[in-house]
Amino acid sequence: MIRKSLLLIYAVVAYLLATGALLYIMGFLIDFGVPKGISDGTEIGLWPAIAINVGLIGAFGLHHSITARTSFKRWWTRIIPAPIERATYLYMTVTMTGLLIHFWHPIPITIWHVQSPLASGAIAVLYLSIWTMMSAATFHFGHFRFFGLAQAWQNFRQLRSGPANMTERYLYALVRHPISLGWMTAPLATPHLTVGHLVFAGATLAYVLLATPFEENDLIEEIGEPYISYRERVPSYVPFSKNVLKSISKSEAR
């Protein structure tokens, strides 16, 4: 019982740290309420800064892609108890987030700077809406499972852990990857857009486009035909884009 309690505490701390890291990234990207924002830090040459920053995001993405793969999890759970596999992943993610923020170099070349309080307020609302959407998406398929708490709690209560949920409702009826969509768009939703923001957004976009096929292959392996059918019906990132393409195809056929 003591071991199970310790595993649960381990997962709770991971959840709290991961939540804190997400809140910090929210402030980091919009340069608000955090000790170091995306435009803070030591300035170096343009191209060295781009290279270092892209490398940091690449390292973060590589960690995510490797540890999220089904094959890695099969090997990893021979070392780490299965109930805290996801929580351990969160500890690693928090560490990678800290490294990204610490070693990030600002590139404060302005692309746009909105001065109107009304327009700035509208952009801030858009920014918060993106993060709200990303958070809501985790509840569609199991927020506490996504953050590793459910697995540790089920182990503590000696409950059988069921398979991961798949949902086609709400946000997932519009796009297959709403969280990835949020990561691609959030860095651009700022009243003061710099080259640093563009580097973060561009590197994140490249990572998402490269990693998504591997992620979907795992989902097909785990879920099978239902996910294949879902993928054929629902677009990856742009709502209604499949319907638009079908309409264009029908028009051209006529």
Side-chain angles (χ1 to χ4, degrees):
M1 191 64 180
I2 294 176
R3 180 176 182 272
K4 291 179 180 179
S5 299
L6 291 174
L7 294 181
L8 181 59
I9 293 171
Y10 180 89
V12 169
V13 173
Y15 177 84
L16 294 175
L17 289 174
T19 301
L22 282 174
L23 291 173
Y24 196 108
I25 283 290
M26 285 178 62
F28 175 80
L29 289 177
I30 206 167
D31 283 312
F32 178 79
V34 293
K36 181 183 179 182
I38 196 170
S39 298
D40 298 325
T42 304
E43 293 184 36
I44 58 176
L46 174 62
W47 292 110
I50 290 175
I52 291 172
N53 293 343
V54 169
L56 288 168
I57 293 176
F60 185 96
L62 187 63
H63 146 259
H64 174 79
S65 292
I66 292 174
T67 56
R69 299 286 66 82
T70 301
S71 56
F72 177 86
K73 291 178 182 179
R74 292 195 191 105
W75 170 79
W76 188 229
T77 49
R78 297 175 187 171
I79 304 170
I80 299 296
I84 58 167
E85 176 270 324
R86 184 68 181 179
T88 303
Y89 162 79
L90 292 181
Y91 281 105
M92 292 188 287
T93 299
V94 169
T95 301
M96 294 302 297
T97 301
L99 292 174
L100 187 152
I101 292 168
H102 179 75
F103 290 106
W104 181 271
H105 287 282
I107 312 176
I109 302 171
T110 297
I111 305 299
W112 70 60
H113 193 178
V114 177
Q115 301 291 342
S116 166
L118 182 62
S120 295
I123 293 172
V125 169
L126 172 62
Y127 184 73
L128 291 175
S129 298
I130 292 171
W131 282 97
T132 300
M133 178 269 293
M134 294 167 68
S135 178
T138 67
F139 285 93
H140 293 353
F141 57 81
H143 172 83
F144 294 109
R145 184 182 181 88
F146 183 73
F147 282 98
L149 274 180
Q151 297 90 319
W153 176 250
Q154 288 166 347
N155 178 66
F156 179 76
R157 294 291 306 275
Q158 296 183 317
L159 301 174
R160 180 176 297 179
S161 179
N165 294 326
M166 172 185 167
T167 181
E168 299 184 36
R169 300 185 298 165
Y170 308 118
L171 292 169
Y172 286 89
L174 298 175
V175 293
R176 300 198 304 274
H177 305 286
I179 297 176
S180 295
L181 174 61
W183 280 113
M184 291 188 288
T185 54
L188 302 176
T190 174
H192 187 190
L193 185 77
T194 68
V195 171
H197 289 90
L198 287 183
V199 170
F200 193 104
T204 302
L205 171 63
Y207 162 71
V208 167
L209 294 179
L210 288 171
T212 296
F214 295 98
E215 180 182 331
E216 294 207 318
N217 286 340
D218 280 353
L219 290 169
I220 290 171
E221 180 183 342
E222 182 178 358
I223 299 171
E225 180 58 36
Y227 191 83
I228 295 174
S229 175
Y230 171 66
R231 186 174 65 171
E232 292 173 351
R233 290 181 283 104
V234 178
S236 298
Y237 314 111
V238 183
F240 311 113
S241 58
K242 282 186 178 288
N243 293 334
V244 172
L245 290 174
K246 287 179 181 177
S247 298
I248 293 173
S249 299
K250 288 180 180 178
S251 298
E252 290 177 348
R254 293 173 185 171

